[in-house]
Amino acid sequence: MKMIQLFTAILLLASCNAQNNAVQLKTNNNGNTLLWQISGKQLPAPSYLFGTFHLICKSDIPFGAQLKTAVKTAREMYMELDMDDPATVMGGLLLMNMKGDTTLKSLYTKEEYEKVSAFFNDTLHTPVSMLGSMKPFFLMAMLYPKMLPCKTMSGVEEELVKLAKENKKEIKGLETMAFQASVFDSIPYKQQAMELLKTIDSLESYKKYFANMVEVYKNQQMDKMEDLMTKSEFGMEDNQDLLLDNRNKNWVQQLNTIMKKESVFIAVGAGHLMGDMGLISLLRKEGYTVLPIEN
């Protein structure tokens, strides 16, 4: 009997110590933050959700002390893709091209193609003929470095991978590169080509849009970011179900299982966090408590 009582006392002491050592992060009162804590629904420990930006000036990356604590506290990091797997990068290169024998030239009139070709030659110093089979939405990503007012730039995901490695955290993916490529294959190539042409034709307006997006991201103004993502001239409202909503629902179903096992740090594009079909709202509908954390 004494051994049982001693064993019970040890368990109780260990439990108390675990509770005392639990990380208490300071909440943000107005909800304008990229960092969120997920708890409740009998989770063994809180998990964390963070919104990323694919390319930004390195000095503008918003990694506060509490974010670093959240990464350190979590057992694993989940990103859209398994970003520390070399096969992900190699697979991405293979999946950037359009299916079949579709080429960029076949999607434009002669005049349109000449305009796009001249832009790539003169502004990006890259012959578009070398990229003629690439999906137009991937070609649009080549414009982003020209939009940033700095020489040292980085992806927020890239810096998170470094942080995860520093803390010896395993990185896993919510999707495969093949799935992401299939999402872009679901959007007609002709439509993608017209978006690329529209961006080139409206480059100065697009630069202002991109600058506004970077500004609201680094200031973590979630409400303004949502408007820019969905309601502006260059937003993704037409394809929101494919690019955001359907993927969000799929991720929440995965997270329902993942978070029951352990605390995880989830890092996905900031656009996935906001709105009625955003991850914050969907997780709350599932019964979780999702709180904004100061960052």
Side-chain angles (χ1 to χ4, degrees), residues 162-182:
K162 293 177 185 177
L163 195 57
K165 289 182 176 179
E166 288 172 11
N167 288 278
K168 297 180 172 57
K169 305 297 180 182
E170 176 71 18
I171 298 173
K172 295 182 178 179
L174 293 165
E175 295 175 342
T176 64
M177 183 60 80
F179 175 80
Q180 287 203 354
S182 74

Side-chain angles (χ1 to χ4, degrees), residues 79-148:
M79 307 181 83
E80 293 183 30
L81 299 167
D82 184 349
M83 297 294 290
D84 67 346
D85 183 358
T88 297
V89 178
M90 295 304 297
L93 295 175
L94 295 172
L95 293 165
M96 283 185 177
N97 288 339
M98 292 180 277
K99 288 184 175 181
D101 57 357
T102 306
T103 63
L104 196 66
K105 194 170 186 177
S106 69
L107 299 171
Y108 290 123
T109 64
K110 181 182 177 181
E111 293 75 16
E112 289 169 343
Y113 183 75
E114 287 176 352
K115 182 182 291 186
V116 172
S117 181
F119 175 81
F120 273 78
N121 282 326
D122 298 342
T123 305
L124 301 180
H125 310 295
T126 304
V128 77
S129 57
M130 293 177 59
L131 311 166
S133 297
M134 191 176 289
K135 295 180 180 78
F137 273 2
F138 285 121
L139 290 175
M140 284 181 66
M142 296 179 65
L143 308 183
Y144 298 162
K146 293 291 181 181
M147 309 290 173
L148 293 170

Side-chain angles (χ1 to χ4, degrees), residues 186-204:
S186 300
I187 301 170
Y189 296 143
K190 179 73 172 180
Q191 181 184 339
Q192 294 184 38
M194 291 301 105
E195 287 293 325
L196 175 61
L197 182 61
K198 173 180 147 185
T199 301
I200 291 171
D201 280 340
S202 311
L203 193 60
E204 290 307 310

Side-chain angles (χ1 to χ4, degrees), residues 281-295:
S281 178
L282 291 177
L283 286 165
R284 285 173 172 165
K285 289 174 184 176
E286 289 287 317
Y288 297 103
T289 299
V290 186
L291 297 176
I293 301 298
E294 273 195 9
N295 178 44

